[in-house]
Amino acid sequence: MSDPQELHDLADRHLPPDAAERWKALLRPAIQFDWAAGIDTVAAQLGGDPELPIGQAWPEWEGHGPLTFIASFDCARLSIDRMPLPESGHLLYFYFDGQVDGGVEVVGPWEPGTQSGARVLYVPDGTPVERRSAPDPLKPYPRQLLRAKAVTTAPEPESPGIAAAFGGTAERGPGHPVDADSFVDAVYEEVSVSVCHQVGGHPLSIQRPVGYEAAGAAADVPGTGGAPEYADPERWLLLAQIDTDDGSSMTWGDAGMLYWLIQEADLAAHRFDRAVFTWQCA
């Protein structure tokens, strides 16, 4: 769902007035992406070969091997209210996707010490770059150019934001203020049937809300000294969500998604080494 007025109308129609106002306050802007064609302005690239700074080593997971290039986003096309993304340059995403070891190692917060198997690189505007081919034995995903669209995203019913706004547990059940199945179905009807690459806004989780998984990876975030905000699932911002996409031959498990999340202060400081990674599938 991307139309803010339509989301407001749904809340007013299905929820009590007080609950509707609290729910509407949780809506967040985001950028979503679909395939570019013709004269569309290109905002992102899936697969293909990345443009790396001249002299930059190809990202590797020490002791395991090189990471696969997943996506590049043009920051000039990523203006999102209340999210301090760089105003220019590019964000590049890499992931140890199993090509090197046949999927033996699994990267995720449930496997402590594996966060180095995913990486975000920021390449500032004006940096001398060169297009680089992936090292053996990696095979790049087919290159797919994407266009951007500003949208409004809604919180997931069991998200930490819902729990914080309405009190108690995030688990829906009898008496929960956001428990109308017709409302939930209407809100998520559109995004549930389409490919959803996204930066910012509320993630589209497949299992439990990914903010909880990001908080579970807090111990693997370098240089944070165990600061409590890293263990707060509501404090994590969606830095990128990469969906299964047949156009780029990207399949993450059973129709899954990749997620990178980051804290607001680290994003503002361009501390992309403190981003965390998780993935989910059906």
Side-chain angles (χ1 to χ4, degrees):
M1 190 67 65
S2 58
D3 185 328
Q5 187 57 55
E6 188 173 354
L7 289 168
H8 282 220
D9 291 345
L10 284 170
D12 291 336
R13 189 181 315 137
H14 290 277
L15 301 178
D18 177 64
E21 292 305 312
R22 281 186 282 169
W23 185 86
K24 287 185 285 187
L26 298 176
L27 297 177
R28 293 181 185 173
I31 302 290
Q32 291 181 354
F33 302 83
D34 59 10
W35 296 1
I39 62 173
D40 290 336
T41 299
V42 173
Q45 171 187 327
L46 293 183
D49 296 327
E51 290 190 342
L52 288 174
I54 294 174
Q56 168 80 52
W58 187 276
E60 289 197 0
W61 184 7
E62 186 175 356
H64 297 274
L67 309 184
T68 299
F69 171 65
I70 303 299
S72 172
F73 292 91
D74 182 350
C75 296
R77 308 293 175 189
L78 300 182
S79 178
I80 303 172
D81 188 36
R82 294 177 294 174
M83 190 169 180
L85 287 155
E87 295 181 356
S88 62
H90 287 78
L91 289 171
L92 278 59
Y93 295 78
F94 295 81
Y95 166 54
F96 193 80
D97 64 351
Q99 290 192 52
V100 172
D101 66 351
V104 172
E105 291 289 348
V106 178
V107 182
W110 55 87
E111 294 287 351
T114 64
Q115 285 295 309
S116 294
R119 192 152 331 155
V120 181
L121 296 180
Y122 173 53
V123 181
D125 199 25
T127 302
V129 296
E130 58 183 356
R131 191 166 296 279
R132 298 273 292 282
S133 298
D136 291 334
L138 298 181
K139 294 183 179 180
Y141 293 100
R143 180 170 174 261
Q144 179 66 55
L145 301 181
L146 303 177
R147 61 184 179 180
K149 177 184 178 181
V151 301
T152 298
T153 62
E156 297 169 303
E158 297 178 357
S159 69
I162 289 287
F166 292 97
T169 176
E171 296 291 334
R172 289 171 61 229
H176 192 284
V178 187
D179 67 353
D181 287 339
S182 59
F183 171 62
V184 173
D185 291 344
V187 168
Y188 290 101
E189 179 180 6
E190 180 179 331
V191 296
S192 64
V193 295
S194 60
V195 175
C196 191
H197 308 303
Q198 182 175 308
V199 172
H202 292 284
L204 181 61
S205 304
I206 298 173
Q207 299 174 6
R208 71 193 301 238
V210 295
Y212 292 109
E213 295 188 359
D220 280 347
V221 180
T224 64
E229 59 265 28
Y230 289 86
D232 182 349
E234 195 182 357
R235 299 285 293 270
W236 290 93
L237 304 178
L238 181 64
L239 190 55
Q241 171 181 287
I242 307 296
D243 203 348
T244 288
D245 190 323
D246 292 341
S248 285
S249 299
M250 292 182 175
T251 302
W252 315 120
D254 184 5
M257 291 192 187
L258 309 182
Y259 309 87
W260 280 265
L261 299 101
I262 194 169
Q263 296 270 315
E264 182 176 359
D266 292 331
L267 177 57
H270 298 176
R271 288 297 308 265
F272 295 105
D273 58 317
R274 292 184 177 176
V276 302
F277 170 85
T278 189
W279 70 279
Q280 296 181 351
C281 66

